[in-house]
Amino acid sequence: SRKDPRVRLTHELLRRAFMTLLAEKPLEEISIKELCDLAGVNRSTFYAHYTDLHDLLRQIEDEMFEEFRRALDTLYQ
């Protein structure tokens, strides 16, 4: 479940590592192995949450968009 603190921690570790790597090089040059090594997470754990790096990026974008939408909703109420 998304409310599970372990799941939230795993997502946060992977996302932070992903954003660090993305600041250094293009998506195409990032490997799941180096992402998992940096995040301190097993590859099998990564695949339990995401299908690939594009899926991780899409989920990050979706969450950012949702946060932005919620912020706008509070402005215009």
Side-chain angles (χ1 to χ4, degrees):
S1 139
R2 290 190 69 87
K3 303 255 188 252
D4 184 332
R6 293 168 301 174
V7 171
R8 282 201 314 266
L9 177 61
T10 299
H11 285 189
E12 186 63 27
L13 291 169
L14 286 166
R15 286 160 194 242
R16 284 185 185 184
F18 183 63
M19 297 311 284
T20 298
L21 292 170
L22 207 50
E24 297 171 0
K25 58 178 121 182
L27 178 65
E28 296 74 27
E29 293 179 16
I30 298 172
S31 73
I32 290 175
K33 180 187 181 330
E34 73 178 321
L35 172 67
C36 291
D37 287 348
L38 185 59
V41 170
N42 289 324
R43 284 172 51 98
S44 59
T45 301
F46 173 87
Y47 286 113
H49 296 273
Y50 307 102
T51 56
D52 57 21
L53 292 176
H54 293 279
D55 183 38
L56 170 58
L57 179 59
R58 183 188 52 75
Q59 288 191 37
I60 292 171
E61 290 171 341
D62 289 350
E63 287 184 11
M64 289 173 65
F65 178 76
E66 184 57 30
E67 287 175 22
F68 184 69
R69 190 191 60 73
R70 279 198 305 271
L72 285 178
D73 284 350
T74 60
L75 285 176
Y76 293 107
Q77 285 181 352

